[in-house]
């Protein structure tokens, strides 16, 4: 996706998406000393595209670069053991 983020043209690579636990996020992305928040319309577009890629994955067409199933499994195991 190509969109404007913080008044700059930006590329969002949904195929690079991967699961994450909140504890691994050490800080928000900052612009001019303020945390950058994705506007709701862009967030919705990203989520819709992500859901579409997940549907393709379920039908056997995996376009994700990371092994998101394995990463999710590791994260769920970690949550169970904490």
């Amino acid at each position: 996706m190509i969109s404007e983020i913080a008044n700059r043209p930006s590329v969002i690579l949904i195929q690079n998406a991967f699961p994450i636990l909140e504890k691994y996020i050490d800080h928000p992305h900052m612009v001019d000393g303020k945390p950058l928040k994705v506007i709701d319309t862009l967030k919705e577009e990203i989520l819709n595209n992500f859901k579409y890629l997940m549907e393709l994955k379920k039908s056997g067409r995996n376009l994700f670069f990371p092994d998101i199933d394995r990463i999710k499994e590791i994260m769920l195991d970690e949550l169970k053991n904490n």
Side-chain angles (χ1 to χ4, degrees):
M1 292 175 51
I2 298 175
S3 188
E4 190 172 292
I5 300 175
N7 298 317
R8 293 179 48 182
S10 302
V11 176
I12 302 161
L13 301 173
I14 298 172
Q15 72 270 23
N16 288 340
F18 59 93
I20 187 80
L21 295 175
E22 187 174 346
K23 72 179 188 174
Y24 293 117
I25 301 172
D26 64 2
H27 66 280
H29 185 76
M30 306 291 276
V31 174
D32 296 328
K34 297 177 184 172
L36 179 64
K37 188 169 182 172
V38 176
I39 61 171
D40 288 338
T41 54
L42 178 56
K43 179 181 173 181
E44 186 176 319
E45 186 178 0
I46 291 168
L47 289 173
N48 286 338
N49 281 304
F50 176 78
K51 289 174 185 175
Y52 176 69
L53 287 182
M54 288 299 290
E55 288 300 318
L56 288 176
K57 185 178 181 310
K58 286 179 188 175
S59 70
R61 299 183 69 201
N62 184 12
L63 300 177
F64 291 102
F65 291 128
D67 185 348
I68 61 174
D69 293 326
R70 178 70 182 127
I71 295 169
K72 179 181 176 184
E73 181 181 312
I74 291 168
M75 298 279 172
L76 290 173
D77 285 346
E78 184 177 336
L79 288 172
K80 285 179 195 173
N81 295 324
N82 285 335

